[in-house]
Amino acid sequence: MKLIQPEHEKFLLLLILLNILPHYFDLPGWIFFSALTLWMWRAFALVRKIYIPGPWIANLLGGLFALGIYLEFGAFLGELATASLLVIMTVLKTFYLRRYRDLMALTFLCYFLLMAKLLNSQSITMSVFMLVDVILITSVLALYHSPLDKGSLGAVVKRSYSLALWALPAVALLFFLFPRFQVGLLQRSQSPQAITGFSEELRPGHISNLLRNEALVFRATFPNQANLPPLESLYWRGGVLSRGSGLFWSAQPLELGVSPRPLSRDSWGDYVVQEIFMEPTQQRWLFPLDHPVQISQPTDDRRRRVTVRDDRHGLHIYRSRQDLSSREYYLAFSSRQTPSFHQATEEQLQSYLEQYLDTSLFEAPRAVQWLKEISLREAPQSESDWAQLLFRYFQQNKFTYTLNPQPVETVDEFLFETRQGFCEHYAATGASLLRLAGVPARVIVGFQGGTASLLGDYLLVRYYDAHAWVEYWSSASQSWQRWDPTAAVEPSRLSLGASASSDLFAGNRGWGLTGSGTWVGQMLGPEWARTYYQARLAWDQVESSWMRFLMRYDYGAQQDLFARWGFGRAGRLLMSIVSAVALILLMLFVAWWLGRKKDPLSAELELYRSLNKKILRKVKVERGIAEGPLDFQRRLKGVLKPEAELELEPFFKRFVEARYGLRRMSAEEVRSWRRRLKSLDLV
Amino acid sequence: MLQLPEKRIYILPTGYGILFLLSALAMILTGATYSNNLVYILAFLLFSIFFISMVHTHANLVGLRLHLLECTDASAGEAIQVSVQLESSARVTKQALEVLALDPLFKKKVREQSAEGVNILSSGEVKVLSVRLAPRPRGVHPLPRLRLSTTFPLGLFRAWINFSFPGEVYVYPQPQGSLPLYPQGASVTQLEERQVGVNVQGVEFEEHRNYQKGESYRRIDWKAYARNRPLLVKRYSGEVQENYSLRWEDLAPWSEEERLSQLALWIRQAQQKDAIYELKLPTQLVSWGSGKEQFKKCQRSLAAFKGGAAA
């Protein structure tokens, strides 16, 4: 038993491969492929006799890889660094495979490889994989402790499957009742990988790159509303870019400013609550609906709370403290009202707004000239007049909306020559023109709209919903007003989504398809594209309900649950006791279940009695109270038809042997006799 | 059928079981750190598998019984074999069982290696196993306890039943000495003078008789055996059974154990010659006899010989 058999090695190596492969999606390429190469080397050594390095080379390689991982991540802590170390060390450990101890250690490492993967992905696919994988790892563990016969592999897997199946009720129970706690033992890593996403600047072509990305950014539900709000009203605010130079805008650390008084809760008026499930974007941006008044992580640990409000200068934006390396869940409250600056003094306001009037970096002589002409001709009175004027201009002068515009460098070029562009062109140009006209303006980046789920209970926002718009200062209301010049050019952008309205996806117009969807549309036709789209939404419906379930149940939710059941502070202790007791009850039940077959005599007796009953029913011969089976068989001679008698002969013989001898019937044998006796014709 | 009371089954986690539990705890901590519910689920899954495997390990021993068949006598320095019979009255098939002797003379590691394994024991099946004991010094030793144990199905728990049997292990003295076997009545000094052993051979072949365990191989008719006949021993006319009196007092100048060893050697030689012999010890007399029974009786009395009583 303590010896390593070739089969053990083979299954263990396969198991390790199975647990390394999912890491392909997270780990740096060089680590993953080194691990794979080392694995193949080791696996090939099973088939052919090739050189296997001794422990010294594995140690050396281990040291080198550890150094490499340290250089790559700057630390050994953190999900990715730990996962990398685990993967490499597991593969190197296979070169040490000598004893039972190594076998067990490697099998346990497989559980940890699985866990490291779960830190990065909690999709429903991964959850199913987890269950299957646990069964397989447990099977390999069982294999070491079971006789290795031919064909016993299936039995071993079946046994661990039944083990896992029995474990499930306990898992469910523990999941809800096991007292959750909050620890900050491990540092959360700063991921080196940044997915294409937002940056603190806007330049032509930047957002249109995002528009080809169909990855999900977040899902949102609206707990205090019966239906999803109309898509065109949804502006997910991400960042404020206030340093402008024509088509190029960037975020600027402002030097001084005043803040609008935060709206108190009773002045929020009609507010929208959003429950937002962020995907791991590896960035810090959070996207509440415009105008956010509060973001909270309803139930989470203070130390881990992600959000920081960045509102010193009336930007109304939120950032997380760290890069979002795992799914995060938060509540955002957004007021329909715009916070106003009524309480600021005249001078404060003036110096505040001056920053939004800075045109020192602009080079647009033609635009300045044109603005002067317009101002003389139309004589706009207020900031909103200017906004309407420019809006009309965009509407009436054959501006087009396209993802692949001719490259432009300056506002002048765009305004008077190419006249084709995407939301970023319109937002940047619009904000520039407003500033040149003396209206304080800034560019806002974020997302607009989204895709309604199949059941219409939540919204999916993907990278291709990225959008840029403008805010200008309205002195009448003493607040910032939203102005979206893109709407002038392509109104459907707001209601149907970027992809539906852009020429890039013209073939699938109206279905919101990009990437794989376009491909399906082109290969199989629009009908299939539509089916594909529906199928994806259906899958997301399943996926997101699982995700929401996983995300929502945490420390606070558990406290709430206990409180709802009427347990106060003592609830945690009580629930620990309850879960322990329940676990013991489950074990007792399993013990009873396993021992249920223990009585070796009852099954045979049952068989015999059911045969007695059948004989009594069919031929009206009853077994005497003290009549032994052989006597009874003799008495039956001639009563039954000869074939039946012949059939019954081996049964009587076997029954006597099992009942009075040592050779019991196995469960399978009892089953087969039961079948045979049932189908037997007595007369 | 008479149902004997079940023996008590003990169960404890193995080192790996504890490691497994610690792994699950580490996962719970990780789940708490990252507020990751899927990691929690994985941890709870391992946790539950741990406890349910405990029940399975325990159930794998229910309904098993061990019976002592025999324990062979051995000479000092030789391994001792104990035959036991393992029997299952449970309906479910038992797997991966081990029987080992809780022999204080074996180190733990050696003990585990010398465990006798049974891969599969289906219901009602009976298996005979032979368990090895560590070589012992001359004497009569109590039979060590036997342990039936299993780590099935996952190796996270070990369940065991201890069986103690009333019985003794006879360990004969090591057969060695410088003196040849001599006929009745010679003393050590006389013997040292005549180093030649008695070699009486019969003259004429008389008959075949069946070979009996313990007889000299030289008397077997190998040619007959090659003709597919059973092992036969040739008897010759005029053959006489020699007789020897093996006496403690003849070996007066020697130490106690040396004397016992010499006597053991003589007994073995006499047995090989199919002779009639008696053994005289200060505390005991084994009267004339021959054959296997005599051999065993004499050797056992040597094994049981207590020096203190002789003085």
Side-chain angles (χ1 to χ4, degrees):
Chain A
M1 178 135 310
K2 303 290 175 190
L3 290 176
I4 294 191
Q5 299 181 17
E7 275 83 6
H8 292 161
E9 243 176 309
K10 196 169 75 191
F11 286 119
L12 181 62
L13 280 173
L14 285 175
L15 191 69
I16 288 171
L17 181 67
L18 178 74
N19 281 287
I20 286 176
L21 284 181
H23 286 277
Y24 166 75
F25 301 102
D26 313 308
L27 294 190
W30 68 272
I31 292 175
F32 179 78
F33 286 106
S34 312
L36 206 61
T37 314
L38 284 170
W39 184 88
M40 287 195 280
W41 184 1
R42 184 63 184 77
F44 194 61
L46 264 190
V47 193
R48 291 274 161 75
K49 266 218 170 331
I50 56 166
Y51 173 69
I52 284 201
W56 66 272
I57 202 167
N59 283 337
L60 184 76
L61 281 176
L64 287 178
F65 275 113
L67 189 70
I69 288 167
Y70 189 81
L71 292 178
E72 172 98 30
F73 296 100
F76 287 129
L77 284 175
E79 305 94 281
L80 286 180
T82 316
S84 306
L85 270 181
L86 260 177
V87 166
I88 288 290
M89 295 308 160
T90 307
V91 174
L92 285 177
K93 174 83 188 158
T94 59
F95 288 93
Y96 270 60
L97 197 53
R98 303 268 185 281
R99 279 179 292 173
Y100 171 72
R101 203 176 64 188
D102 306 324
L103 212 63
M104 291 296 272
L106 272 168
T107 316
F108 283 14
L109 275 174
C110 283
Y111 286 120
F112 279 97
L113 281 175
L114 173 62
M115 187 201 75
K117 178 64 203 169
L118 297 183
L119 288 179
N120 287 312
S121 169
Q122 296 113 55
S123 64
I124 199 160
T125 329
M126 196 34 75
S127 313
V128 173
F129 174 78
M130 175 191 80
L131 202 61
V132 175
D133 197 24
V134 165
I135 292 173
L136 288 180
I137 300 175
T138 312
S139 304
V140 171
L141 207 55
L143 203 63
Y144 309 147
H145 302 93
S146 306
L148 251 185
D149 298 337
K150 261 192 187 153
S152 68
L153 191 65
V156 168
V157 175
K158 200 175 143 197
R159 192 177 320 114
S160 13
Y161 162 77
S162 91
L163 265 179
L165 211 65
W166 277 110
L168 283 183
V171 171
L173 197 83
L174 285 169
F175 183 81
F176 286 108
L177 299 188
F178 185 85
R180 299 299 172 90
F181 51 92
Q182 299 165 334
V183 285
L185 287 180
L186 301 166
Q187 213 186 341
R188 294 161 67 82
S189 73
Q190 297 295 312
S191 160
Q193 288 177 315
I195 294 172
T196 11
F198 277 90
S199 65
E200 301 271 334
E201 52 182 44
L202 183 75
R203 68 173 86 203
H206 189 90
I207 285 188
S208 52
N209 277 339
L210 287 182
L211 291 170
R212 294 188 174 84
N213 187 348
E214 59 180 338
L216 192 66
V217 187
F218 61 88
R219 295 184 181 88
T221 66
F222 299 88
N224 70 343
Q225 303 207 314
N227 299 312
L228 292 180
L231 291 183
E232 58 266 28
S233 71
L234 299 178
Y235 282 85
W236 307 97
R237 192 182 183 89
V240 175
L241 311 178
S242 41
R243 182 187 162 87
S245 55
L247 290 178
F248 183 87
W249 286 72
S250 61
Q252 183 186 31
L254 298 173
E255 273 157 25
L256 59 110
V258 283
S259 305
R261 192 199 298 269
L263 287 172
S264 62
R265 185 133 191 167
D266 34 273
S267 64
W268 285 358
D270 190 13
Y271 65 91
V272 184
V273 185
Q274 313 117 58
E275 207 179 7
I276 294 183
F277 301 88
M278 285 290 288
E279 291 293 299
T281 55
Q282 314 296 352
Q283 291 188 331
R284 298 189 182 192
W285 304 73
L286 300 178
F287 301 96
L289 268 188
D290 223 8
H291 286 272
V293 284
Q294 190 183 317
I295 277 191
S296 61
Q297 277 194 293
T299 53
D300 215 342
D301 180 4
R302 255 171 219 291
R303 281 165 297 187
R304 287 198 49 233
R305 184 160 290 176
V306 293
T307 57
V308 182
R309 188 169 193 190
D310 192 354
D311 204 13
R312 281 160 307 157
H313 308 289
L315 297 179
H316 311 298
I317 57 173
Y318 291 84
R319 291 282 179 276
S320 83
R321 282 183 213 279
Q322 281 126 6
D323 288 347
L324 298 173
S325 55
S326 58
R327 272 198 182 123
E328 291 296 343
Y329 158 56
Y330 58 85
L331 284 176
F333 299 82
S334 302
S335 171
R336 298 236 159 102
Q337 287 168 351
T338 336
S340 74
F341 286 65
H342 283 303
Q343 83 287 1
T345 63
E346 203 57 40
E347 298 91 71
Q348 277 178 325
L349 211 53
Q350 205 156 15
S351 59
Y352 171 66
L353 290 177
E354 247 167 41
Q355 303 166 100
Y356 294 106
L357 283 168
D358 180 16
T359 54
S360 57
L361 296 170
F362 290 8
E363 273 182 50
R366 283 178 73 187
V368 172
Q369 187 60 36
W370 174 74
L371 281 171
K372 267 183 195 154
E373 284 166 22
I374 285 199
S375 145
L376 285 174
R377 196 169 64 229
E378 308 268 338
Q381 297 299 304
S382 65
E383 294 92 346
S384 57
D385 286 348
W386 268 111
Q388 279 167 23
L389 224 154
L390 292 173
F391 195 82
R392 271 206 305 281
Y393 179 74
F394 283 135
Q395 264 180 332
Q396 292 161 1
N397 286 282
K398 289 187 177 167
F399 280 87
T400 51
Y401 180 86
T402 169
L403 260 183
N404 300 308
Q406 291 172 23
V408 283
E409 290 295 321
T410 64
V411 170
D412 279 355
E413 227 180 300
F414 174 71
L415 206 53
F416 303 111
E417 286 162 27
T418 65
R419 292 194 175 181
Q420 45 176 253
F422 200 61
C423 62
E424 54 198 354
H425 296 92
Y426 291 99
T429 308
S432 303
L433 289 176
L434 283 174
R435 278 200 183 180
L436 289 170
V439 177
R442 58 192 188 185
V443 173
I444 315 293
V445 288
F447 293 93
Q448 197 279 316
T451 313
S453 70
L454 199 66
L455 299 182
D457 52 349
Y458 64 95
L459 204 68
L460 295 121
V461 177
R462 303 204 168 93
Y463 277 107
Y464 62 58
D465 293 313
H467 192 48
W469 63 93
V470 178
E471 269 182 355
Y472 67 87
W473 178 261
S474 156
S475 40
S477 62
Q478 295 281 76
S479 65
W480 291 99
Q481 297 294 324
R482 184 169 62 223
W483 180 59
D484 190 352
T486 314
V489 187
E490 185 77 32
S492 67
R493 161 69 185 85
L494 306 186
S495 51
L496 285 178
S499 48
S501 51
S502 82
D503 47 359
L504 182 69
F505 311 112
N508 301 315
R509 203 173 170 88
W511 299 115
L513 292 169
T514 65
S516 48
T518 334
W519 183 80
V520 170
Q522 280 164 0
M523 297 287 287
L524 302 169
E527 274 314 301
W528 279 100
R530 183 191 170 145
T531 314
Y532 173 76
Y533 179 67
Q534 298 274 330
R536 274 188 59 167
L537 276 185
W539 174 248
D540 194 80
Q541 193 78 41
V542 179
E543 172 85 55
S544 76
S545 39
W546 175 241
M547 181 270 300
R548 277 180 286 171
F549 165 73
L550 279 187
M551 298 281 298
R552 277 186 183 143
Y553 196 78
D554 59 3
Y555 176 74
Q558 190 180 44
Q559 299 291 82
D560 293 347
L561 184 72
F562 291 174
R564 212 176 321 139
W565 290 347
F567 305 108
R569 286 215 152 270
R572 287 162 63 75
L573 181 68
L574 196 69
M575 285 304 153
S576 327
I577 297 168
V578 167
S579 45
V581 167
L583 202 64
I584 291 168
L585 284 180
L586 178 82
M587 278 166 50
L588 287 177
F589 183 69
V590 176
W592 169 79
W593 181 267
L594 289 173
R596 173 182 57 101
K597 298 181 187 165
K598 204 181 72 185
D599 178 5
L601 299 180
S602 63
E604 288 114 358
L605 263 187
E606 229 172 79
L607 269 181
Y608 184 58
R609 283 183 187 147
S610 74
L611 178 69
N612 292 164
K613 267 187 204 151
K614 191 170 176 178
I615 291 171
L616 178 65
R617 208 169 52 237
K618 291 275 158 77
V619 295
K620 306 281 180 279
V621 176
E622 193 174 8
R623 180 173 62 92
I625 292 169
E627 191 173 13
L630 292 177
D631 292 331
F632 186 51
Q633 190 191 2
R634 234 169 282 142
R635 202 150 64 83
L636 283 174
K637 274 215 168 87
V639 180
L640 307 175
K641 67 176 178 182
E643 295 85 42
E645 226 168 72
L646 215 63
E647 271 285 287
L648 280 180
E649 209 178 285
F651 174 74
F652 273 103
K653 203 173 155 221
R654 185 72 188 87
F655 172 71
V656 167
E657 192 180 30
R659 180 107 173 93
Y660 304 100
L662 260 181
R663 214 160 66 83
R664 307 277 145 67
M665 287 187 193
S666 67
E668 291 79 48
E669 200 183 346
V670 169
R671 267 199 295 279
S672 89
W673 276 118
R674 188 172 297 140
R675 260 198 313 277
R676 280 172 67 179
L677 293 182
K678 206 171 174 187
S679 60
L680 183 65
D681 275 335
L682 295 177
V683 277
Chain B
M1 183 184 274
L2 179 69
Q3 203 67 40
L4 292 165
E6 294 273 327
K7 290 284 273 184
R8 184 164 294 157
I9 300 175
Y10 299 91
I11 187 163
L12 271 182
T14 59
Y16 297 105
I18 289 169
L19 197 65
F20 190 89
L21 196 61
L22 288 179
S23 303
L25 285 178
M27 285 178 189
I28 287 179
L29 280 182
T30 315
T33 308
Y34 291 100
S35 300
N36 188 319
N37 270 330
L38 210 51
V39 173
Y40 266 122
I41 292 179
L42 174 65
F44 294 148
L45 205 52
L46 295 196
F47 204 62
S48 313
I49 285 177
F50 177 77
F51 283 106
I52 289 175
S53 88
M54 177 169 93
V55 179
H56 279 258
T57 309
H58 180 270
N60 198 36
L61 287 191
V62 173
L64 291 183
R65 302 198 64 77
L66 207 58
H67 305 283
L68 179 69
L69 292 181
E70 70 163 333
C71 175
T72 57
D73 295 355
S75 293
E78 280 175 15
I80 305 158
Q81 305 283 337
V82 182
S83 300
V84 284
Q85 173 180 300
L86 181 62
E87 174 192 326
S88 163
S89 65
R91 186 173 298 283
V92 278
T93 303
K94 308 290 182 180
Q95 300 188 47
L97 305 166
E98 280 180 353
V99 178
L100 54 86
L102 290 177
D103 192 337
L105 296 178
F106 268 157
K107 280 193 183 145
K108 191 169 174 277
K109 232 177 186 167
V110 182
R111 190 190 302 160
E112 271 160 19
Q113 278 166 6
S114 66
E116 193 66 21
V118 175
N119 277 342
I120 292 216
L121 190 71
S122 47
S123 82
E125 200 181 348
V126 171
K127 268 195 180 149
V128 175
L129 307 169
S130 106
V131 181
R132 227 159 57 100
L133 303 186
R136 280 165 160 67
R138 178 196 71 84
V140 183
H141 305 273
L143 202 60
R145 282 183 306 165
L146 297 186
R147 170 172 289 181
L148 171 67
S149 81
T150 185
T151 59
F152 176 86
L154 299 182
L156 305 181
F157 281 92
R158 177 176 294 279
W160 70 90
I161 308 174
N162 288 338
F163 293 91
S164 42
F165 299 107
E168 279 150 341
V169 185
Y170 285 87
V171 179
Y172 309 156
Q174 236 173 17
Q176 61 186 16
S178 48
L179 301 180
L181 192 60
Y182 62 97
Q184 207 173 337
S187 71
V188 175
T189 35
Q190 288 172 318
L191 275 169
E192 276 166 352
E193 287 160 10
R194 10 173 328 214
Q195 288 280 333
V196 191
V198 183
N199 189 12
V200 180
Q201 280 289 353
V203 192
E204 224 167 285
F205 174 76
E206 199 168 70
E207 58 167 358
H208 273 127
R209 63 170 176 80
N210 279 333
Y211 171 76
Q212 280 172 337
K213 224 174 166 180
E215 281 184 301
S216 167
Y217 295 145
R218 281 178 299 177
R219 303 180 56 171
I220 293 175
D221 187 352
W222 292 108
K223 285 180 182 164
Y225 184 64
R227 291 194 298 267
N228 274 342
R229 304 190 59 191
L231 279 177
L232 296 172
V233 175
K234 287 188 248 181
R235 275 189 80 90
Y236 298 91
S237 65
E239 188 183 34
V240 283
Q241 271 190 315
E242 299 169 51
N243 45 22
Y244 300 102
S245 176
L246 310 172
R247 285 175 308 198
W248 171 263
E249 68 242 30
D250 288 348
L251 300 168
W254 293 4
S255 82
E256 193 173 283
E257 290 300 322
E258 275 171 342
R259 286 170 163 195
L260 289 172
S261 285
Q262 180 66 72
L263 285 172
L265 180 66
W266 280 343
I267 291 171
R268 183 168 286 197
Q269 286 169 344
Q271 171 69 17
Q272 276 168 8
K273 290 182 171 171
D274 205 7
I276 301 173
Y277 53 95
E278 63 165 3
L279 175 69
K280 277 185 177 163
L281 292 176
T283 49
Q284 199 185 357
L285 172 79
V286 183
S287 59
W288 293 98
S290 71
K292 257 168 71 181
E293 273 310 301
Q294 175 76 356
F295 176 79
K296 197 167 168 183
K297 229 192 253 160
C298 293
Q299 291 281 26
R300 280 193 165 189
S301 54
L302 289 186
F305 181 76
K306 292 237 169 49

